[in-house]
Amino acid sequence: MALRAHRRYGEIMQDVEELIKDHIVHQKRGTQGRSKLKLLVPSVGIFFTPILLEKAFQFQDTERRISSRRFVAPSFNDIRLILNTAQIMGIIEEGGPPELVTFDGDVTLYNDGECLTADNPVIHRILDMLKRGTKIAIVTAAGYLEAEKYHGRLIGLLEAVKNAVTDGILKDPVLLVVGGESNYLFSFDASSSHLLKYVPRETWMLNEMKAWTEDDIKTLLDVAEAALRDCIKSLGLSADILRKERAVGIIRSNHPLAGRFTREQLEETVLVTQQVVEISPVGSVLPFCAFNGGNDVFVDIGDKSWGVLACQNYLGGIPGSRTLHVGDQFLSAGANDFKARSACTTAWIANPIETVRLLDELARHSA
């Protein structure tokens, strides 16, 4: 029974893989609208590499014993992890390990609201990638103007990289931090007091980003703030407004009786605010991202696709097929990692432990 299920699942994966290959052929010709996959799934996006589903299923079936289960069908998580493996295999088959790996912060590298401390097992994996010449960027929604605050959130990784440079293990590692989705860029600098150096916007912004005017930015944030205030009132939220240079959001009030927001409150706030901004005049000319941060809601100028594209451009024009973005927000309302899908290949993880396993898998398949 298990052998029959294994064979049938593999055949299904192979069939879907062939549909993706056909779509990629049409994509290269500029006729992707006529692919079989596009007809079946009209919302299908860009494929930067082949997706080796059948081979990935064989690997994950060994790991998760999917075809050996008698009563539990392949789950959403099974499919998600198969797709992650298939994407990694596709990148490596096209040209070896990725040149650039970008990460979300909260829930991807560390637990929500926490910091990347020295005992985090992901640090050793990132150091190994830096040793192999892979460029690393952390693309986070956290928007700070000061390197000190990013140092506080990423202290374990930054100190580990500094020590590796001091000991001669690493030479000129490329480690970037993109804040506010796509609004601030910092580069690792072992000689700086907080190990990060601010990179002026004019040196890394894409031409399209340079067209974002300060008047439009202020107008969009004003519209978003008004929508957030309406949500506070209509949903009875114990929340305060926090306005930043290129973002506005709601955070939990510091009132002693204020509790955590419910998921439904957060997602309703995201969807309402997103719609209000989208239908406003400025919403059609300026990209933005409304997202659920777990216990807050923020609207940022730009989004993670712009953050990843800016990194690729800043590092000399790394293509999407040689870039992997790892994040956890691809499904819920305001899933800001999903935006990176238009800039590069992606891997969808559910927690920091999965990130560690993904990087081990990447190293294993790259060997």
Side-chain angles (χ1 to χ4, degrees):
M1 182 177 176
L3 287 174
R4 187 165 64 248
H6 178 85
R7 183 175 64 253
R8 184 60 185 136
Y9 292 159
E11 290 170 351
I12 292 169
M13 293 296 170
Q14 193 170 36
D15 289 343
V16 177
E17 186 176 328
E18 291 302 318
L19 286 172
I20 294 172
K21 286 180 181 177
D22 172 73
H23 184 80
I24 292 173
V25 169
H26 280 279
Q27 192 174 274
K28 290 177 179 177
R29 294 174 181 166
T31 59
Q32 58 267 34
R34 285 186 256 167
S35 76
K36 295 175 185 176
L37 186 60
K38 187 70 172 180
L39 294 174
L40 292 169
V41 187
S43 61
V44 69
I46 301 168
F47 289 94
F48 293 93
T49 70
I51 308 296
L52 306 186
L53 286 170
E54 198 274 334
K55 188 176 178 182
F57 167 72
Q58 302 293 343
F59 175 80
Q60 285 294 345
D61 196 35
T62 301
E63 296 289 308
R64 298 174 66 82
R65 305 296 186 192
I66 300 167
S67 60
S68 297
R69 300 196 301 245
R70 295 178 58 197
F71 299 107
V72 179
S75 68
F76 178 86
N77 284 329
D78 290 327
I79 301 302
R80 178 175 58 79
L81 294 173
I82 289 170
L83 284 167
N84 285 350
T85 300
Q87 181 60 89
I88 286 173
M89 290 177 169
I91 295 171
I92 293 168
E93 183 179 80
E94 283 284 278
E99 294 177 40
L100 170 64
V101 179
T102 65
F103 295 93
D104 174 42
D106 287 74
V107 185
T108 300
L109 294 176
Y110 43 83
N111 291 324
D112 191 25
E114 296 184 5
C115 302
L116 189 51
T117 52
D119 58 349
N120 191 313
V122 79
I123 292 174
H124 301 295
R125 278 74 176 180
I126 293 176
L127 288 175
D128 285 341
M129 287 193 293
L130 289 169
K131 289 176 193 174
R132 294 193 295 268
T134 304
K135 300 170 178 65
I136 302 295
I138 297 168
V139 184
T140 172
Y144 308 129
L145 287 167
E146 308 86 5
E148 179 181 6
K149 292 185 177 179
Y150 288 114
H151 180 266
R153 297 298 297 272
L154 306 172
I155 184 168
L157 175 61
L158 294 174
E159 293 293 340
V161 174
K162 177 190 174 183
N163 291 338
V165 170
T166 302
D167 295 341
I169 298 170
L170 288 177
K171 183 178 180 181
D172 300 323
V174 177
L175 172 60
L176 304 177
V177 178
V178 180
E181 311 278 0
S182 58
N183 288 296
Y184 312 103
L185 180 64
F186 293 82
S187 177
F188 175 80
D189 182 356
S191 64
S192 296
S193 57
H194 300 296
L195 305 180
L196 289 170
K197 177 177 65 178
Y198 177 76
V199 182
R201 281 195 184 122
E202 59 271 16
T203 64
W204 59 267
M205 289 180 73
L206 302 169
N207 290 333
E208 298 91 333
M209 299 170 78
K210 292 175 182 177
W212 302 351
T213 68
E214 292 302 318
D215 285 345
D216 283 344
I217 290 170
K218 180 181 182 303
T219 300
L220 190 144
L221 294 179
D222 287 344
V223 172
E225 182 175 336
L228 290 169
R229 291 189 183 279
D230 286 343
C231 287
I232 290 174
K233 183 177 180 181
S234 63
L235 297 175
L237 303 176
S238 297
D240 295 326
I241 294 286
L242 179 60
R243 180 81 174 242
K244 299 183 179 182
E245 182 201 25
R246 291 202 165 194
V248 62
I250 60 168
I251 58 174
R252 188 175 61 178
S253 169
N254 58 9
H255 190 280
L257 298 180
R260 289 182 64 89
F261 303 128
T262 66
R263 179 181 62 84
E264 292 79 8
Q265 288 173 327
L266 292 167
E267 296 201 351
E268 176 71 9
T269 302
V270 167
L271 292 171
V272 168
T273 305
Q274 181 172 293
Q275 184 183 56
V276 169
V277 177
E278 281 178 344
I279 64 176
S280 69
V282 72
S284 62
V285 298
L286 193 64
F288 71 94
C289 179
F291 67 95
N292 170 1
N295 201 33
D296 55 40
V297 171
F298 269 87
V299 176
D300 279 329
I301 301 300
D303 58 50
K304 286 194 178 179
S305 68
W306 293 100
V308 173
L309 287 168
C311 285
Q312 292 168 337
N313 184 65
Y314 180 72
L315 295 173
I318 298 174
S321 60
R322 307 296 303 134
T323 305
L324 176 68
H325 177 72
V326 183
D328 68 290
Q329 289 209 20
F330 285 90
L331 182 62
S332 62
N336 58 355
D337 288 306
F338 181 79
K339 299 279 188 171
R341 182 69 187 83
S342 64
C344 65
T345 69
T346 56
W348 181 355
I349 57 81
N351 53 60
I353 294 173
E354 279 196 5
T355 300
V356 169
R357 291 174 181 163
L358 179 84
L359 298 183
D360 286 343
E361 192 177 317
L362 178 60
R364 177 176 175 178
H365 294 309
S366 300

